[in-house]
Amino acid sequence: MFSLEPVPTLKKIQHVSLFEVCDSLLAAQTACVEMVTSSSRRKVIQIHVVGVDRWDVVKEVPLLQDPVALAVDGASVCVATSDRYLLCDIRTGSSEELFPHNHSRQRVIVTSVGRGEFLLNGPESLGMFVMKTGICQRPPLQWPQEVLAAGVCFPYILTLEPQVLSVYSMVDQQIKQTVSLSGATGLLSTSDGVLVFTERDIFSLRLVPLDQQIQALVRHERIEEALLLLNGVQGHCPCDSYKELQKAITCLAGFVHFYREGFSEAKELFITGELDPREIIHLYPDMQSCLSEDFKSQLDQVNKGRDLQVLCQENRNTFHQYLAFLGDFLRAVRGTEQGLKCTQEVDCALLRLYLELGDTENLQQLVASPNECRLDHCVPVLEQHNRFFALGSLYQSHGHQLDAIETWVKIADGFHKDTSCSDVYGHIVWTLSQLQDRDAVLTFADWTLQRNQEIGVRIFNKRPPDGEFEAQNVLALLEKYPLALILHLEFLIHDLNSKEERHHNRLALAYVTQTLQEEEKADLRRTRGKLQQLLWESKCYDVSTVYERVKSAALHMEKAILLGRTGEHCKALQVLVHKEGDLQAAEAYCCRAAQGRDSQFRQTLLLTLLQIYLSSEALTSAAVDLLNNNPRVFVAEKIIQLLPDSWSIQLVSQFLVRSLRESFHQRQMARLQKALGQVECMRHKAIWMQASNKKFRLDKGQKCKVCQRDLAEPQFAFNFHGELMHTSCTGYSSS
């Protein structure tokens, strides 16, 4: 047996027309071989278990016709008879017909593909793939009618004709190779290829390793075919090996698209293949300085790299497209696991790229957000390109706040030329307002306030509540900047709702000072309006302190408000009438001072104003207008007693008519209200009478609903439910 000599003691298996050795787990465990045979005398297939010194038939499967070919895969046997193909299960002995055929005995082909699949020579010169379940999961192969034999060497099917050997792909069913032969008679599949028999020779064809096949396809730029083959052999490769091969081939495919300027496809393939971003950066001649010294490229792209360098010199437009692709790719992988392996190189390359393309928006976004740019590399590059605003942002993102602000200050002062930011000063102010470094803020506070007090004070007014600055310290700093001082006091009072008297006093006094210094009328009206609003609305300032400041100035309206706050309304009105000479302001004062008070208080104020008017003959018309404008406030009987004897009835006729009409109207309204009240009262009385106009029977022994004692007195009460009770118990009833 092992020496190729027959075993004398082993009985021969006779009348065998076909046989196949099976891969059986049971046979392997018992040191036996399982074999399927067909008999030349019986329509049956038999399963033999063959040992070293004996063999036994363990199963027979009867057939209706003699088998002419068979193939075994596990427990499944595919059998071809003279006109049909069958599937048999050697465990159960069952059989199933697949489909008929009309081939001669020499043209019948049954071959095991593996994994429960068989290849059959079907009708119409089709190579049919059939699973052990009886279904087809692959498209058929279209092969010549003269096929003598077929073998499987995954992922290829080899067919033999008298003069040629053809190789088909199981992945896409396309013919891939032909080998000329003469007098071919048969072939046999082996573990790594096939043996081909001719009339005189035996040839051995071996399968080229799959990774070499795929790489060769990529080198010939047959990308889709390479990826199709790679996906087709996935199930037959170890998981780790397949993944690594897939990544490498996907990246190689990406480079083919890259040099064809198929940038969208290249980016997707590079990302899918998890290409190290440094491999792409390495291709660009001006970007290689971004890479660390220990980086060694793993790809053979030297010649291609030279092409890109030449392209940079000869065709700038196309090279700019390659630069744009680099930006798209690096942005796509930045922050992902693929890009986190080399964050410094990615960020440095993006910075240089944005400078090269003049992409100010993306450059500023990169340097202003958290990044891994190396300062020793990027600072000189930014200075060389006069991008000092971006340089300041880079300093800031790396925590060098003073360097950042100093750089921006030099731009604002004209030491650096950089037009990329139109409002550097505003950006400095905003940065200082968000900065928690107290010393840094104070370092540049004077510079910002000297340049523009209104904007510069925002470094304090727009600051989040962080407790870094005490209000008094800020006010002390702003003493030299009056406008900024006012704006900050307004912020404390109006935005932070400060109730401290010193803040309100300082703001009022600052308004007074500014009012006295202003010359333009527009500014004067605006400031005085703020001052008057503060004096009217604030309850936190010291009246005497502010009055002491305005009493010697020509701020008569403000004096009047302050006098009114102390209750001296008569003096306030005299100031407005005699010193300010603004009669409308005097009347408006009465209305404003009476807000939130009763009508009697307003009447008192207007009456005081009338008396002031009446004390001067020059104000007669003002007094008449005051009377005519307020007929509802003044009572005609009282006013007539105050008027000078020299006044004619005609002078006050309009007031008297309006006043009498108003008095009459008020009396009528009072009578109407009284009548309505009486009607309502009568309605309630009627309801009460209807409720009380009802007879009740009080029987002896009837008890009170509340206390349950007898009702023995003539007086009693009842509720709405008709329940009787003592009058003294009504307070305890819930109805």
Side-chain angles (χ1 to χ4, degrees):
M1 185 176 244
F2 299 105
S3 62
L4 301 183
E5 294 291 334
V7 179
T9 59
L10 188 60
K11 182 182 177 181
K12 294 181 180 179
I13 304 174
Q14 297 180 343
H15 312 299
V16 175
S17 61
L18 302 167
F19 74 92
E20 285 281 345
V21 178
C22 308
D23 293 329
S24 171
L25 180 61
L26 176 62
Q29 292 174 346
T30 58
C32 297
V33 173
E34 194 171 56
M35 185 169 63
V36 178
T37 67
S38 65
S39 174
S40 59
R41 295 189 176 185
R42 298 173 60 197
K43 298 175 182 179
V44 66
I45 59 174
Q46 297 176 320
I47 293 86
H48 300 263
V49 175
V50 184
V52 176
D53 54 1
R54 59 173 292 178
W55 55 264
D56 295 297
V57 177
V58 296
K59 178 77 70 173
E60 286 188 355
V61 180
L63 301 175
L64 297 177
Q65 295 176 315
D66 292 327
V68 297
L70 63 82
V72 181
D73 189 295
S76 298
V77 180
C78 188
V79 180
T81 65
S82 59
D83 62 353
R84 70 196 61 198
Y85 292 100
L86 306 172
L87 270 178
C88 300
D89 190 316
I90 61 178
R91 296 288 179 261
T92 64
S94 62
S95 62
E96 176 186 0
E97 182 176 338
L98 293 176
F99 52 82
H101 69 82
N102 56 1
H103 300 302
S104 65
R105 186 182 185 93
Q106 292 76 18
R107 304 297 185 194
V108 174
I109 297 174
V110 180
T111 302
S112 173
V113 178
R115 300 193 178 190
E117 191 173 16
F118 299 95
L119 175 64
L120 314 177
N121 189 10
E124 305 297 334
S125 300
L126 293 176
M128 305 290 292
F129 294 95
V130 180
M131 298 298 296
K132 63 182 179 181
T133 56
I135 63 173
C136 298
Q137 291 185 336
R138 301 178 192 270
L141 287 177
Q142 183 70 55
W143 58 27
Q145 292 183 354
E146 297 81 11
V147 172
L148 299 175
V152 178
C153 187
F154 187 83
Y156 299 104
I157 300 295
L158 293 89
T159 62
L160 185 65
E161 301 166 57
Q163 305 297 326
V164 67
L165 176 73
S166 301
V167 181
Y168 294 86
S169 171
M170 295 173 63
V171 177
D172 59 4
Q173 289 73 47
Q174 300 297 316
I175 189 168
K176 300 297 181 183
Q177 187 179 0
T178 57
V179 179
S180 297
L181 296 170
S182 177
T185 58
L187 61 80
L188 175 67
S189 298
T190 65
S191 59
D192 59 350
V194 292
L195 296 175
V196 181
F197 310 101
T198 68
E199 296 173 350
R200 301 181 58 183
D201 301 300
I202 298 176
F203 297 96
S204 175
L205 282 76
R206 296 186 180 276
L207 181 67
V208 177
L210 290 173
D211 57 342
Q212 295 182 21
Q213 294 184 48
I214 296 171
Q215 291 174 8
L217 290 171
V218 173
R219 282 195 299 272
H220 289 84
E221 299 188 358
R222 293 160 65 178
I223 307 302
E224 290 76 11
E225 193 174 348
L227 292 175
L228 187 64
L229 177 58
L230 178 62
N231 292 330
V233 302
Q234 176 179 358
H236 291 73
C237 295
C239 183
D240 294 339
S241 174
Y242 169 77
K243 287 183 178 179
E244 292 302 318
L245 182 61
Q246 183 189 41
K247 291 179 184 178
I249 300 306
T250 302
C251 290
L252 289 175
F255 277 108
V256 173
H257 285 289
F258 176 74
Y259 290 111
R260 290 178 179 174
E261 299 178 23
F263 297 121
S264 177
E265 297 85 353
K267 183 180 78 169
E268 295 302 323
L269 289 169
F270 287 150
I271 293 174
T272 303
E274 299 180 12
L275 179 68
D276 187 338
R278 293 174 293 184
E279 297 287 0
I280 296 295
I281 297 173
H282 181 68
L283 300 179
Y284 291 77
D286 293 337
M287 299 292 172
Q288 295 179 1
S289 61
C290 301
L291 302 175
S292 58
E293 296 179 357
D294 58 350
F295 171 71
K296 302 297 181 183
S297 177
Q298 302 298 315
L299 300 175
D300 183 17
Q301 295 290 330
V302 177
N303 293 332
K304 296 294 186 180
R306 290 201 188 101
D307 292 343
L308 203 59
Q309 190 169 3
V310 171
L311 186 66
C312 173
Q313 300 171 354
E314 296 181 353
N315 192 334
R316 293 296 297 179
N317 291 334
T318 303
F319 184 68
H320 267 273
Q321 296 180 17
Y322 277 91
L323 291 176
F325 163 79
L326 178 62
D328 289 340
F329 174 67
L330 294 181
R331 279 192 297 270
V333 301
R334 185 173 186 258
T336 66
E337 184 177 354
Q338 189 175 356
L340 290 175
K341 300 174 183 177
C342 49
T343 54
Q344 287 189 345
E345 288 87 345
V346 169
D347 286 356
C348 289
L350 280 172
L351 185 139
R352 291 190 68 100
L353 176 67
Y354 294 148
L355 290 173
E356 179 73 21
L357 296 175
D359 191 344
T360 302
E361 182 179 353
N362 276 324
L363 173 64
Q364 186 59 33
Q365 184 177 355
L366 172 67
V367 297
S369 59
N371 61 80
E372 296 295 329
C373 293
R374 300 200 318 269
L375 294 181
D376 60 336
H377 173 80
C378 296
V379 169
V381 176
L382 289 169
E383 290 177 342
Q384 181 182 355
H385 286 79
N386 292 327
R387 292 303 183 94
F388 295 101
F389 184 75
L391 175 59
S393 298
L394 182 62
Y395 278 136
Q396 185 183 26
S397 65
H398 283 254
H400 304 297
Q401 305 292 352
L402 286 175
D403 292 334
I405 299 174
E406 285 177 357
T407 302
W408 291 329
V409 166
K410 289 181 180 179
I411 299 175
D413 288 340
F415 291 106
H416 292 324
K417 301 297 183 183
D418 186 353
T419 59
S420 60
C421 181
S422 59
D423 186 15
V424 180
Y425 173 73
H427 185 77
I428 295 172
V429 171
W430 181 86
T431 302
L432 290 172
S433 71
Q434 305 301 308
L435 203 59
Q436 295 183 354
D437 188 343
R438 183 176 183 275
D439 294 334
V441 175
L442 295 178
T443 299
F444 295 98
D446 283 324
W447 180 86
T448 58
L449 291 166
Q450 289 170 3
R451 195 173 185 89
N452 189 315
Q453 293 186 45
E454 185 175 358
I455 297 176
V457 76
R458 294 176 186 171
I459 64 177
F460 302 111
N461 292 358
K462 299 297 183 180
R463 174 172 298 279
D466 52 14
E468 289 290 333
F469 293 92
E470 294 288 341
Q472 288 306 113
N473 295 335
V474 175
L475 293 174
L477 175 66
L478 298 178
E479 286 288 353
K480 299 179 292 184
Y481 309 101
L483 177 58
L485 177 64
I486 289 177
L487 293 173
H488 189 64
L489 287 169
E490 290 176 347
F491 168 73
L492 292 175
I493 293 172
H494 301 316
D495 294 350
L496 300 186
N497 297 318
S498 173
K499 302 300 181 183
E500 293 190 32
E501 180 181 299
R502 54 184 176 176
H503 293 162
H504 290 254
N505 286 345
R506 291 193 69 170
L507 181 58
L509 295 176
Y511 280 151
V512 172
T513 301
Q514 189 177 34
T515 300
L516 296 176
Q517 292 176 349
E518 287 175 346
E519 297 180 357
E520 297 183 9
K521 292 184 179 181
D523 293 337
L524 177 61
R525 284 197 301 270
R526 185 169 61 250
T527 305
R528 287 197 71 181
K530 290 181 179 181
L531 173 59
Q532 292 171 13
Q533 183 178 4
L534 177 68
L535 296 179
W536 275 118
E537 296 179 356
S538 174
K539 298 179 180 179
C540 301
Y541 64 88
D542 181 64
V543 176
S544 59
T545 301
V546 181
Y547 186 77
E548 191 65 26
R549 181 72 177 84
V550 302
K551 69 179 183 179
S552 58
L555 302 177
H556 303 301
M557 186 64 198
E558 289 74 8
K559 291 179 188 177
I561 298 172
L562 292 169
L563 289 170
R565 290 297 298 272
T566 61
E568 300 184 58
H569 298 290
C570 183
K571 290 184 178 180
L573 291 171
Q574 288 178 345
V575 168
L576 292 174
V577 173
H578 298 303
K579 293 185 178 180
E580 182 70 11
D582 190 341
L583 305 184
Q584 291 182 350
E587 189 170 346
Y589 171 87
C590 295
C591 297
R592 183 66 182 268
Q595 286 181 359
R597 308 288 289 271
D598 55 21
S599 59
Q600 184 63 37
F601 183 77
R602 184 186 178 206
Q603 182 179 359
T604 302
L605 290 178
L606 289 173
L607 189 60
T608 303
L609 179 61
L610 178 63
Q611 291 174 336
I612 294 173
Y613 287 164
L614 293 176
S615 63
S616 173
E617 293 184 1
L619 299 174
T620 299
S621 61
V624 173
D625 291 339
L626 182 63
L627 290 172
N628 291 337
N629 293 335
N630 300 276
R632 301 179 61 180
V633 177
F634 296 114
V635 180
E637 293 84 347
K638 295 182 179 179
I639 295 302
I640 292 175
Q641 297 176 3
L642 296 176
L643 297 179
D645 297 336
S646 58
W647 281 30
S648 63
I649 294 298
Q650 185 178 1
L651 188 61
V652 293
S653 60
Q654 184 177 349
F655 162 71
L656 292 175
V657 170
R658 289 182 178 179
S659 179
L660 290 174
R661 285 180 177 175
E662 185 63 31
S663 298
F664 178 75
H665 174 70
Q666 291 178 357
R667 284 197 298 269
Q668 291 295 95
M669 289 299 295
R671 291 177 61 188
L672 180 59
Q673 290 175 355
K674 182 179 179 181
L676 291 173
Q678 291 174 345
V679 169
E680 183 69 12
C681 182
M682 292 295 293
R683 188 175 69 85
H684 285 289
K685 284 183 177 181
I687 295 174
W688 177 78
M689 290 178 67
Q690 290 175 3
S692 61
N693 188 19
K694 185 176 181 181
K695 293 181 180 181
F696 293 93
R697 182 181 180 86
L698 182 60
D699 296 326
K700 183 179 180 180
Q702 192 162 354
K703 298 184 181 298
C704 173
K705 178 65 177 176
V706 178
C707 67
Q708 297 300 317
R709 288 185 291 182
D710 292 340
L711 293 170
E713 299 178 359
Q715 298 86 12
F716 60 90
F718 73 99
N719 59 18
F720 292 113
H721 301 294
E723 297 168 337
L724 305 182
M725 64 190 74
H726 294 111
T727 55
S728 58
C729 294
T730 55
Y732 303 99
S733 175
S734 59
S735 298

